[in-house]
Amino acid sequence: MRAFTAAATAVAAPYPARLLLVSARPRFGHCRASPSARLLRSSCYASTTMGDETSTSTSAQAQDPAPLAVQGAGSVKQQISNLAALSLRATVPEVDVEPVVEVCTTKFGDYQCNNAMGLWSKVKGSGTSFKNPNAIGQAIAKNLPTCDVIESTSVAGPGFVNISLSNSWVAKRIQDMLVNGIKTWAPVLPVKKLVLDFSSPNIAKEMHVGHLRSTIIGDTLARMFEFSNVDVLRRNHVGDWGTQFGMLIEFLFEKFPEWEELGSQAIGDLQLFYKASKEKFDNDAEFKDRAQQAVVRLQGGDEKYRSAWKKICEISRNEFDQVYKLLDVQLEEKGESFYNPYIPQVLEGLSNQGFIKESEGARVIFIEGHKIPLIVVKRDGGFNYASTDLAALWYRLNVEKAEWIIYVTDVGQQQHFDMFFKAARMAGWLPDPKEKKFPKTSHVGFGLVLGADGKRFRTRSTEVVRLGDLLDEAKSRSKSELVQRLKDNGKIVDWTEEELEKTSKAVGYGAVKYADLKNNRLTNYTFSFDQMLSDKGNTAVYLQYAHARICSIIRKSNMEVEELKMNGKISLDHPDERVLGLYLIRFAEVVEDACTNLLPNVLCEYLYNLSEMFTRFYTNCQVVGSPEEPSRLLLCEATAVVMRQCFQLLGITPVYKL
């Protein structure tokens, strides 16, 4: 294991606060638009102020054309915000203000710039020539740079500037994506490197349903940031250095004195081995004393104890890897033991700053707003969760140079992370969150997985549900339903056993992931195979069918889609074509929103809404055999490409026929 390499000799004194703050960057995002606005459900002021709607222009007017850099990279919302920023500088050059841009889904526009009222409060009474907020809104609309992005603008009520995008620009953006790849739609985020700490099971304990949420939420966040060109360090902070190892090692020595010759066979089923050692630890005082001494020997570097520890970790790690392989999750392990050599000097630095105090035999940090202190050294002189986390944070900031460190654990650990983050800010490691600068830390909390009885999900024997067993059952049920449906419609002969196996695995595992990810992570949710494997409603199975149907439409056309991408042309003349096209190009800002707010359910909602919009388009716009077939096939292909990218970000394997 990597925990005890020469890393210990590389430890340096903690960086001074001023060095840590040099890399601070502006706030996350390019505008202050509400992150909770949802693309289908949001509304704009104009929808309730039709009487105040006043036309400003049929095409955006300005004195200077927008620079190409403004129109190029990032999401559409970012590009509109950049155009609005130029207009604001021309409209009120004396006021430093960020653009406030929202999605607007009424007939009055596609996006809305909502700066006028805020600006009016800043300039009124200062001799300004503007008479009211509406006048400021009119000026903002007029000063928007001339470009091919905006078709028209209008101003509603107290200065809300509605912006309609050009159909030809929307169509071109979609076609460019089809030619150059969906990666060209990746959002531009103001962070280059981050650490994502997720999954983190305890060595010698089997992964169960309780690890499901941390693992797949963390993986999805990692995938979204990676898609956005952020360097993501996927960290598995496994519990491999706790008191339980003394118990396990001493039990191993007692039961199998010749354990080195027997190897893994001595331990056998690690879960049964753990239970047996725990029972002896709880009921045998003499054994408990020996186990506690074993911890001291292990942490002191005794070679015999280190060898046993490594063997136990190896067996446990192999079991974890089997589950990660099923889930298609990649992680790099840096467990608690890795940071152990760094703890003394990190705590010494905090002590020298005057933050660590003696309290009832322990060493603690008193945190403002909390009645209990953060214990960093226990009464017996041992280190704990907090001391390890402080050392890990120091390492991630100073050695790995991460700008954002994200921890994915259950909401029950919120207090720990709040105290831990405040301690780091007290020491000057992190800026005040009100400053909205990097480096920064975030705790991604999540609720419980519940059973049908509303209690924590367990088996009938009250044991926790093994994650591997749960995934196996999902695949088995998925295969049974798929085979039955294919038999009923007479298509079973068209499927090989390999296709059935791969499809049932993709659908089953995807159903488990999506059922979790579609919920706001802060809430509990009830685990139900029947609901998650349903082909109706907002489920992964329904979405897989929707994607497979699009693929079927394209196949039935007998047209060469790759040739169409290069030589065809998309038109958005029908209202449902435009609605679908506009929603497709909002993909980047959805990913940006999900990353900014660390909410995977935002992407799930987009994916489901996209499938519903495609259904409406396909119902009202004939594709195969119509005069518009080439254009509409390209819209079908673009929808399939975006859906597949959503699946990839969610860790779901798409299927092409069902």
Side-chain angles (χ1 to χ4, degrees), residues 422-607:
K422 284 181 178 177
R425 287 195 288 271
M426 287 167 55
W429 295 7
L430 301 169
D432 188 311
K434 293 178 183 177
E435 298 178 21
K436 302 186 185 301
K437 294 179 179 179
F438 292 110
K440 70 175 184 176
T441 54
S442 298
H443 174 231
V444 176
F446 54 82
L448 299 174
V449 181
L450 306 177
D453 58 0
K455 298 179 181 179
R456 193 185 291 264
F457 189 36
R458 296 181 180 274
T459 63
R460 291 181 181 178
S461 62
T462 73
E463 295 288 334
V464 293
V465 179
R466 293 186 175 189
L467 197 45
D469 294 344
L470 182 147
L471 294 171
D472 287 345
E473 183 170 356
K475 186 184 79 169
S476 177
R477 289 186 181 220
S478 174
K479 186 174 183 178
S480 296
E481 293 184 17
L482 175 61
V483 168
Q484 187 60 52
R485 186 180 66 80
L486 292 173
K487 286 181 177 179
D488 291 343
N489 61 26
K491 294 183 178 180
I492 189 69
V493 294
D494 299 330
W495 288 66
T496 65
E497 181 59 32
E498 182 182 1
E499 286 178 318
L500 288 172
E501 188 70 12
K502 289 179 65 175
T503 301
S504 59
K505 180 179 176 181
V507 173
Y509 295 173
V512 172
K513 288 185 177 184
Y514 189 82
D516 187 307
L517 294 169
K518 74 176 182 180
N519 298 284
N520 185 306
R521 57 177 169 75
L522 293 172
T523 62
N524 300 336
Y525 80 94
T526 301
F527 190 95
S528 168
F529 278 120
D530 290 338
Q531 290 181 10
M532 66 179 58
L533 291 171
S534 172
D535 59 1
K536 296 177 176 61
N538 188 10
T539 68
V541 181
Y542 168 80
L543 294 169
Q544 292 276 28
Y545 273 108
H547 174 258
R549 182 174 63 165
I550 297 173
C551 295
S552 176
I553 294 167
I554 295 171
R555 286 195 298 269
K556 288 178 180 178
S557 73
N558 291 321
M559 282 195 172
E560 182 51 58
V561 174
E562 292 305 315
E563 184 178 329
L564 272 181
K565 289 180 185 179
M566 303 305 297
N567 302 316
K569 183 178 180 181
I570 295 174
S571 63
L572 303 173
D573 298 329
H574 191 283
D576 288 315
E577 291 175 327
R578 188 182 194 280
V579 169
L580 178 60
L582 188 63
Y583 203 70
L584 284 168
I585 66 168
R586 288 179 178 157
F587 167 74
E589 65 203 45
V590 170
V591 177
E592 179 184 15
D593 187 14
C595 289
T596 302
N597 299 293
L598 304 172
L599 292 172
N601 64 294
V602 170
L603 183 64
C604 294
E605 183 178 1
Y606 173 83
L607 177 57

Side-chain angles (χ1 to χ4, degrees), residues 49 79 156 460 614 632:
T49 57
Q79 294 185 52
R460 291 181 181 178
F614 179 83
R632 290 175 177 173

Side-chain angles (χ1 to χ4, degrees), residues 112-140:
Q112 191 176 79
C113 178
N114 298 333
N115 283 93
M117 289 185 68
L119 284 173
W120 174 246
S121 68
K122 294 176 183 292
V123 302
K124 67 179 178 179
S126 63
T128 179
S129 61
F130 296 115
K131 303 298 184 183
N132 51 46
N134 184 275
I136 297 178
Q138 299 283 351
I140 293 172

Side-chain angles (χ1 to χ4, degrees), residues 202-205 239-240 242-256 259 267 269-278 281 287 290-292 294-295 298 305 308-309 312-313 316:
N202 285 322
I203 293 289
K205 292 184 180 180
D240 65 350
T243 304
Q244 77 269 21
F245 280 97
M247 174 185 79
L248 290 165
I249 292 170
E250 198 59 36
F251 190 73
L252 176 65
F253 290 166
E254 180 179 289
K255 292 293 182 182
F256 303 99
W259 70 271
I267 294 174
D269 188 317
L270 189 56
Q271 310 314 307
L272 296 177
F273 187 85
Y274 180 89
K275 288 179 181 179
S277 63
K278 182 68 167 64
F281 183 85
F287 176 79
R290 294 202 309 273
Q292 290 172 338
V295 175
L298 171 64
Y305 286 79
W309 169 76
I312 293 169
C313 289
S316 193

Side-chain angles (χ1 to χ4, degrees), residues 139-156:
I140 293 172
K142 181 180 179 180
N143 288 325
L144 282 167
T146 300
C147 61
D148 59 358
V149 179
I150 300 175
E151 179 68 30
S152 64
T153 61
S154 61
V155 180

